[in-house]
Amino acid sequence: MLATFDRTLRLANLRFDGAAARRIGKAGRGWQAIEAALDLARVALAGEQAGAGQHVLSFTVDYARTRIQFGRPIGSFQAIKHMAADLFLESESAISAARYAAAQLAAAAPTPRRPWSWRPSPVRMPS
């Protein structure tokens, strides 16, 4: 097990010494298959992190509503409102970036004629 900051995420370093192997993809094109899998993993991780940011924002807003200081909720203080607004902007930007990355990946999905064509192409996001 690898040490991580997020204890809910289990990571490991795998080593395959003497393991049976099978070729990935066509000869000389195996790395493209690995890149495609890594692209999928990166998009999934971006979505996971954007969701975590949204969850943290929710916790923060709830705390600001319930924590009382100087006789009133701390969420009523302008400085806290500004910080919450900044966090909201960061959270929404992360969600938008993750959705855009997923749309780019989907737009460049493989076809029967191009089985490993995963390079991003310009795509318009739905409004």
Side-chain angles (χ1 to χ4, degrees), residues 21-34 116:
R22 187 169 60 135
R23 182 182 310 195
I24 298 174
K26 294 180 181 178
R29 300 189 71 183
W31 183 247
Q32 289 175 321
I34 292 170
W116 298 110

Side-chain angles (χ1 to χ4, degrees), residues 12 15-18 25-26 46 61-62 69-71 75 79 82 85 91 93 118 121 123:
R15 189 170 173 170
F16 298 100
D17 288 335
K26 294 180 181 178
V61 170
D62 287 344
Q69 187 67 38
F70 306 114
H82 285 220
S91 174
S93 295
W118 289 80
S121 60
V123 67

Side-chain angles (χ1 to χ4, degrees), residues 1-126:
M1 233 18 154
L2 295 174
T4 64
F5 180 73
D6 181 357
R7 297 191 186 227
T8 64
L9 184 64
R10 295 179 181 216
L11 300 178
N13 188 7
L14 301 177
R15 189 170 173 170
F16 298 100
D17 288 335
R22 187 169 60 135
R23 182 182 310 195
I24 298 174
K26 294 180 181 178
R29 300 189 71 183
W31 183 247
Q32 289 175 321
I34 292 170
E35 281 182 329
L38 289 173
D39 286 345
L40 287 169
R42 289 179 190 111
V43 169
L45 184 60
E48 179 184 25
Q49 294 301 308
Q54 191 174 33
H55 199 62
V56 167
L57 173 63
S58 176
F59 277 140
T60 302
V61 170
D62 287 344
Y63 181 77
R65 285 183 183 146
T66 58
R67 171 75 163 95
I68 305 296
Q69 187 67 38
F70 306 114
R72 60 188 222 200
I74 63 170
S76 67
F77 296 112
Q78 187 174 11
I80 300 297
K81 289 178 183 179
H82 285 220
M83 285 189 271
D86 288 344
L87 184 56
F88 175 75
L89 180 62
E90 293 293 331
S91 174
E92 289 298 311
S93 295
I95 291 167
S96 294
R99 286 180 179 165
Y100 183 74
Q104 288 287 328
L105 192 60
T111 65
R113 291 187 334 211
R114 301 173 305 154
W116 298 110
S117 178
W118 289 80
R119 292 292 149 239
S121 60
V123 67
R124 272 197 117 142
M125 291 295 295

